[in-house]
Amino acid sequence: MAGGQTKKAGGEGKKGGGETKKGNANAGGKKKEVKKETGLGLSYKKDENFGEWYSEVVVHGEMIEYYDISGCYILRPWTMSIWEAMQEFFDAEIKKLKIKNCYFPLFVSPTVLQKEKEHVEGFAPEVAWVTKSGQSDLEVPIAIRPTSETVMYPYYSKWIRGHRDLPLKLNQWCNVVRWEFSNPTPFIRSREFLWQEGHTAFATKAEADEEVLDILELYRRVYEEYLAIPVIKGKKSELEKFAGGLYTTSVEAFIPNTGRGIQGATSHCLGQNFAKMFEINFEDEKGEKAMVWQNSWAYSTRTIGVMVMVHGDDKGLVLPPKVAAVQVIVIPVPFKDADTQGIFDACTSTVNTLTEAGIHAEADLRDNYSPGWKYSHWELKGVPLRIEIGPRDLANSQVRVVRRDNSAKVDIPMASLVEQVKDLLVTIQKSLYDVATQKRDACIQKVTTWDEFIEALGQKKLILAPWCDEEEVEKDVKARTKGEMGACKTLCTPFEQPDLPEGTLCFASGKPAKKWSYWGRSY
Ligand code: 87F
């Protein structure tokens, strides 16, 4: 299973290397103990053992530290800066849509949680409960939010009275807890994760419908413009939608190495189901009692796991420039009797120049690591550009620039540094997206028959197939493809539909096909 938690907390995840020491000249010209380049590399290859590679890369890249509670992970600063970059974008965009931030409590009373029985029922095993304070049992156990519908909607009922109270559009950035039992994986399936959850209420269905797509478009942009990951926008099947809602839209990504689809974010139209349950009514313009139409939508830290899986390579993480905390790492390359101080000064002034231009640049001036060790270290952490400054560069008023994504090297005159570095960062961002799209597209297989479907599934493809859109048929496909790799299901019905000629039959049932849908194994 991909990305399985094969490692125990504590002890593992420490970077190798740095133990062997040898003499070397430092900036001040004194002999210093310098750690030799050993063991920084990853022990697993992405194409050979994807699951182990993933666990290793998130730990050695300093994004994650394993924790002593299974399924819980420490998000280190390298992770949080990526989360914050996406958050900054998304938060500003939803504010343009007049959505306001709020914060509701983490704890849910059992009566409220069970109010919406039908939708909670299926999820009940995943709800975590607080049953004690100190040694005493609580009189009434308290649930920890797995999502906040039941937390928030009683107050929507209280706050919404008349049509002038609508729309009510709230969002919160918070953590949620879902006590998963299957195969925990950092970012992808953890028992606690960070997300934003938006919950909105409208007077009309038309307004709700429009917002569902506005938000979905923002999710597409988070993936494609920030994380450089292509996604497919579409609608979930009846079987795969959020059962409490009317319909679910999503952005779906694909991991070529495992041949699995992954739901990137969801934007639901809840219809009036929750409004009925929680009595969220209002007096409309005619003075008549009406029920609100609601949406809810979320994306989580799972996005970061998808980014690692899609872009990472055998040297480690590969961060898209738009989310990288450090976009350019500047490394001095002193040599024997060369002007070491001059080189270090050039590094500092290079960082200053880039920083003033709004580029996230840092110099690694540590004198106890060799340049080679530093190269590996920052490659492992996925920094998009490396600048090396040695004696020759100093003499020629230039720097050497190396791209993380394709190892391309170019010498840049100091005079055009800012301009060229900016261009390169844009080029890398685009190239990551293009390469990821090529790889994803190479995995898409259009099929029309069951035999083609089974063959494509065996080849880890993302399958596009004509479907009759019947729930029983999807259940049947799931049952027929069940194996140790997990069953195949619909990922979505893409909004962008290929031509469906009259008389096209469903690949699974042989009945008339109604639409093209994506099928695959998934996370
Ligand atoms: C786990 C335990 C209890 C998912 C759960 O997608 C309840 C749930 O309702 C649960 N896991 N869900 C569905 C969440 C639906 C919806 N909530 C707001 C979203 C977007 C944000």
Side-chain angles (χ1 to χ4, degrees):
M1 189 63 83
Q5 184 175 13
T6 53
K7 311 208 166 178
K8 296 226 167 57
E12 107 286 348
K14 291 210 182 67
K15 246 190 309 224
E19 289 87 11
T20 320
K21 300 184 176 187
K22 69 171 183 190
N24 199 357
N26 79 335
K30 282 178 285 182
K31 282 281 176 188
K32 262 265 177 181
E33 291 289 284
V34 168
K35 290 167 185 169
K36 205 182 143 199
E37 43 270 44
T38 54
L40 256 191
L42 300 172
S43 32
Y44 295 97
K45 289 201 185 316
K46 189 180 185 183
D47 289 340
E48 287 171 10
N49 192 335
F50 184 79
E52 292 297 338
W53 168 85
Y54 179 76
S55 303
E56 198 175 21
V57 92
V58 293
V59 172
H60 288 205
E62 298 180 333
M63 297 189 79
I64 286 285
E65 190 66 74
Y66 280 78
Y67 192 64
D68 71 344
I69 295 173
S70 169
C72 296
Y73 308 94
I74 298 164
L75 307 184
R76 301 185 65 184
W78 206 240
T79 292
M80 286 311 288
S81 55
I82 296 168
W83 183 240
E84 285 165 1
M86 289 189 272
Q87 186 172 24
E88 194 185 328
F89 163 75
F90 190 82
D91 201 61
E93 289 296 325
I94 60 175
K95 279 173 181 154
K96 289 184 200 164
L97 297 174
K98 302 214 170 72
I99 292 152
K100 294 198 166 82
N101 280 328
C102 62
Y103 187 80
F104 281 74
L106 168 68
F107 299 116
V108 197
S109 75
T111 39
V112 167
L113 187 71
Q114 260 118 51
K115 184 148 189 176
E116 218 286 272
K117 271 207 194 78
E118 275 170 40
H119 111 261
V120 166
E121 238 163 51
F123 296 120
E126 288 182 15
V127 177
W129 294 85
V130 179
T131 58
K132 281 189 167 195
S133 78
Q135 289 309 305
S136 4
D137 288 340
L138 293 188
E139 216 163 279
V140 183
I142 290 168
I144 301 173
R145 68 172 164 234
T147 177
S148 302
E149 281 81 356
T150 60
V151 177
M152 294 167 92
Y153 297 167
Y155 299 89
Y156 280 44
S157 167
K158 179 173 182 214
W159 296 335
I160 297 168
R161 294 284 149 195
H163 60 91
R164 291 177 199 82
D165 300 323
L166 292 172
L168 178 61
K169 306 204 267 189
L170 300 181
N171 175 68
Q172 66 178 1
W173 294 94
C174 63
N175 59 339
V176 285
V177 171
R178 295 179 184 173
W179 215 252
E180 305 261 5
F181 290 94
S182 63
N183 183 39
T185 305
F187 299 121
I188 303 293
R189 192 179 294 109
S190 56
R191 286 176 163 176
E192 179 185 1
F193 56 87
L194 305 183
W195 75 353
Q196 60 65 221
E197 51 178 321
H199 295 267
T200 54
F202 301 89
T204 63
K205 178 167 185 291
E207 289 170 274
D209 286 337
E210 187 185 343
E211 189 206 56
V212 165
L213 295 184
D214 287 345
I215 296 295
L216 196 67
E217 171 62 7
L218 293 180
Y219 291 148
R220 183 197 67 76
R221 292 182 61 194
V222 165
Y223 272 93
E224 298 198 340
E225 294 177 14
Y226 283 76
L227 300 175
I229 295 166
V231 288
I232 296 160
K233 278 182 174 182
K235 194 172 161 195
K236 288 282 186 182
S237 68
E238 282 304 298
L239 201 59
E240 291 300 321
K241 76 170 191 185
F242 172 37
L246 187 57
Y247 64 89
T248 294
T249 67
S250 70
V251 290
E252 300 284 328
F254 184 73
I255 311 297
N257 288 78
T258 56
R260 284 178 193 271
I262 183 160
Q263 180 173 290
T266 49
S267 181
H268 312 282
C269 179
L270 302 178
Q272 296 181 307
N273 300 346
F274 285 90
K276 261 178 223 136
M277 226 93 56
F278 288 89
E279 299 177 71
I280 314 179
N281 306 314
F282 68 102
E283 199 180 272
D284 68 16
E285 276 146 327
K286 289 174 247 152
E288 285 162 17
K289 192 178 147 185
M291 241 183 318
V292 299
W293 292 86
Q294 289 177 276
N295 291 342
S296 77
W297 27 273
Y299 81 92
S300 74
T301 37
R302 166 180 271 207
T303 47
I304 299 171
V306 181
M307 180 208 76
V308 172
M309 289 182 169
V310 167
H311 298 305
D313 65 18
D314 291 344
K315 289 195 225 167
L317 299 168
V318 177
L319 303 185
K322 279 179 89 163
V323 296
V326 178
Q327 298 169 313
V328 182
I329 186 71
V330 181
I331 297 173
V333 190
F335 186 73
K336 285 184 186 154
D337 304 323
D339 177 9
T340 303
Q341 191 58 51
I343 288 170
F344 274 63
D345 291 347
C347 288
T348 304
S349 85
T350 299
V351 167
N352 291 342
T353 306
L354 293 172
T355 305
E356 275 162 33
I359 297 162
H360 303 313
E362 276 179 22
D364 187 347
L365 302 179
R366 291 177 290 179
D367 62 8
N368 58 332
Y369 292 98
S370 69
W373 188 94
K374 290 175 185 174
Y375 296 171
S376 308
H377 173 74
W378 294 103
E379 280 171 355
L380 192 45
K381 288 175 69 83
V383 171
L385 279 181
R386 171 171 89 230
I387 289 184
E388 307 167 5
I389 304 182
R392 201 175 60 90
D393 305 298
L394 197 59
N396 298 340
S397 296
Q398 65 178 33
V399 295
R400 163 146 292 200
V401 182
V402 184
R403 277 171 65 165
R404 173 64 183 87
D405 63 325
N406 64 3
S407 306
K409 297 177 173 66
V410 55
D411 291 328
I412 293 180
M414 279 304 282
S416 62
L417 179 74
V418 166
E419 189 191 328
Q420 293 207 48
V421 165
K422 274 189 177 169
D423 283 353
L424 273 171
L425 291 173
V426 172
T427 304
I428 293 169
Q429 183 78 31
K430 178 164 190 313
S431 173
L432 286 176
Y433 177 80
D434 290 343
V435 170
T437 305
Q438 271 170 27
K439 286 187 185 156
R440 194 269 319 260
D441 289 351
C443 294
I444 296 178
Q445 183 80 46
K446 235 171 153 181
V447 307
T448 52
T449 66
W450 179 260
D451 287 348
E452 285 172 1
F453 170 80
I454 289 299
E455 191 189 348
L457 193 61
Q459 295 165 344
K460 296 191 195 170
K461 298 282 180 160
L462 170 54
I463 303 166
L464 187 57
W467 179 36
C468 61
D469 195 15
E470 284 179 22
E471 197 167 322
E472 286 312 310
V473 174
E474 181 171 5
K475 280 186 184 156
D476 185 51
V477 172
K478 269 184 156 174
R480 287 159 81 183
T481 55
K482 218 179 213 143
E484 62 182 57
M485 304 264 290
C488 175
K489 58 185 192 185
T490 56
L491 304 173
C492 72
T493 295
F495 292 146
E496 218 172 275
Q497 285 279 313
D499 192 36
L500 187 69
E502 190 70 38
T504 306
L505 301 179
C506 170
F507 78 101
S509 69
K511 295 178 191 172
K514 295 209 178 90
K515 48 173 68 164
W516 291 93
S517 293
Y518 280 105
W519 296 74
R521 296 198 172 88
S522 69
Y523 281 92

